[in-house]
Amino acid sequence: MILHPGILALLGGSLVTLLIMVGASWQAVRILLFWDITSSSEEQLRLERRTWLISTLVNYALGFQVFSAVLFVFTADDIHRLFVGAMCATGSLNANLVGWLVLLLKGFLLFAAGLWVLLNHLDQSTEDCPLVRPKYAALLVLTPLVGLDLYLQWRYFSGLQPAVITSCCGSLFSDQGESVAADLIALPVGQAMTLFALAVGGYLLLLGACLRFPFGILRQLLFAAAVLMFFISLGAVISFISLYIYQMPTHHCPFDMLQGHYGYIGYPLYGGLYLATLYGMLPGICQPLRKYPSLRREINRRERHWLLTAALGMLVFLVFSCWQMVFGSLRLFGY
């Protein structure tokens, strides 16, 4: 099983990523100790040259971390056919419970890596690069997490036993049990829809207000709304959106929609949600950075693009989430 192309790509790519991050961390220590943008010493000039090279390598490494989150879910879904009782990625992840830890960690790194790449691009577009120290300090936090990600992936894939009978999504995503998923599924559909509509509506309202007004408090509220909307939307996918996509009143799995017989609809759906959340958080994160004149100019120049990207991501998410609600034959309130 370890020779599956997706598993080899994940382990090999994560190993290369970790090696790059370890090298970058060594540079990060030197920057935190010796970086002085006002100096023209030989050490400072050497650090500046290496910083550009290493930032480029880290961009690719963290870009792979974003890609690997998608590849991990695809691979977990693809290998479900090797297990008795598995029907999708849920069965593969249940076959070795370390897989759920990998999924959780990859979800965190998905956003952390995306934000680092975007902030690095913003910083490198200025002449004085005021974020060099914070960026490289963040690498000292990200590198152990990338190492933990590789370790957990190895534990997961090497611990899979095809002879073990696993459970399918029907047993995990049901209203029986004491898990969070069971609580979401047991929530009345009307209440779940109302909560989802309020979260998305509040997010879009703040997005429009940020496009219209320059107030900092709106950016910070949008950051909070984006995080809240992300978790409520994931809950809505399990609670009722999945039912419309599968056109079945009892099928709540958030992974089956990634399969071919559902048109791979889960990829644009989750991709849109990711873009809406990431770019919705970005103006709020950048708000404290406006104290740097060079960054303030770049943020003002780019912010409209970020907000429009967030709006586009939300539009994609809503289209693929609500398409079957409008045009499908299933009517939940008839049950």
Side-chain angles (χ1 to χ4, degrees), residues 15-327:
L15 178 61
V16 173
T17 298
L18 179 61
L19 293 175
I20 293 174
M21 295 294 287
V22 169
S25 294
W26 170 244
Q27 178 74 0
V29 173
R30 294 180 61 81
I31 284 176
L32 292 176
L33 290 175
F34 304 113
W35 183 265
D36 181 6
I37 193 64
T38 62
S39 171
S40 58
S41 66
E42 185 178 347
E43 176 67 14
Q44 175 63 21
L45 294 175
R46 188 183 299 115
L47 283 176
E48 289 180 10
R49 285 196 297 270
R50 289 181 180 175
T51 298
W52 279 90
L53 172 63
I54 291 178
S55 292
T56 302
L57 292 174
V58 171
N59 267 337
Y60 284 107
L62 293 181
F64 176 79
Q65 277 301 132
V66 175
F67 170 72
S68 74
V70 181
L71 181 59
F72 176 75
V73 175
F74 175 83
T75 303
D77 184 66
D78 190 56
I79 62 177
H80 80 271
R81 291 167 291 187
L82 303 175
F83 301 100
V84 177
M87 298 178 67
C88 64
T90 303
S92 303
L93 295 173
N94 281 339
N96 181 349
L97 295 181
V98 177
W100 291 104
L101 293 178
V102 179
L103 185 65
L104 186 64
L105 181 57
K106 282 197 174 295
F108 175 80
L109 286 173
L110 182 67
F111 285 99
L115 287 172
W116 196 95
V117 170
L118 289 171
L119 291 175
N120 178 59
H121 186 59
L122 176 70
D123 186 50
Q124 289 188 330
S125 62
T126 63
E127 293 183 356
D128 53 346
C129 297
L131 296 183
V132 168
R133 283 177 180 271
K135 278 187 317 184
Y136 279 83
L139 289 184
L140 296 179
V141 178
L142 288 175
T143 300
L145 294 177
V146 170
L148 180 62
D149 178 54
L150 174 60
Y151 169 71
L152 289 178
Q153 284 183 89
W154 172 256
R155 282 277 311 276
Y156 172 61
F157 289 122
S158 63
L160 290 174
Q161 300 294 331
V164 174
I165 298 176
T166 184
S167 55
C168 73
C169 51
S171 61
L172 180 62
F173 297 102
S174 70
D175 57 359
Q176 305 298 319
E178 299 178 353
S179 65
V180 176
D183 292 338
L184 290 171
I185 293 165
L187 191 67
V189 173
Q191 292 181 19
M193 285 184 171
T194 302
L195 183 61
F196 175 67
L198 288 174
V200 173
Y203 171 82
L204 290 175
L205 191 63
L206 282 169
L207 207 59
C210 288
L211 281 168
R212 180 70 178 82
F213 303 106
F215 307 131
I217 185 66
L218 290 175
R219 274 73 182 162
Q220 290 162 350
L221 287 174
L222 179 64
F223 173 87
V227 174
L228 191 63
M229 180 274 301
F230 174 76
F231 288 106
I232 291 177
S233 296
L234 287 182
V237 169
I238 296 173
S239 177
F240 65 90
I241 290 174
S242 54
L243 304 182
Y244 285 102
I245 290 176
Y246 305 133
Q247 293 290 290
M248 295 175 64
T250 56
H251 195 180
H252 294 271
C253 180
F255 294 107
D256 275 358
M257 61 184 73
L258 299 169
Q259 296 180 350
H261 48 273
Y262 291 108
Y264 302 105
I265 191 174
Y267 289 101
L269 186 149
Y270 291 125
L273 181 60
Y274 172 66
L275 286 179
T277 307
L278 181 70
Y279 282 90
M281 292 193 298
L282 202 52
I285 290 174
C286 289
Q287 192 59 27
L289 305 181
R290 291 177 179 273
K291 64 182 180 183
Y292 301 105
S294 57
L295 281 179
R296 184 166 59 245
R297 286 192 296 273
E298 287 298 321
I299 292 170
N300 289 338
R301 190 170 68 86
R302 296 164 186 261
E303 189 179 74
R304 185 174 180 81
H305 170 73
W306 296 340
L307 294 170
L308 291 176
T309 303
L312 177 63
M314 177 52 69
L315 177 64
V316 171
F317 173 66
L318 289 177
V319 166
F320 285 94
S321 297
C322 302
W323 181 269
Q324 292 285 30
M325 293 185 199
V326 178
F327 298 103

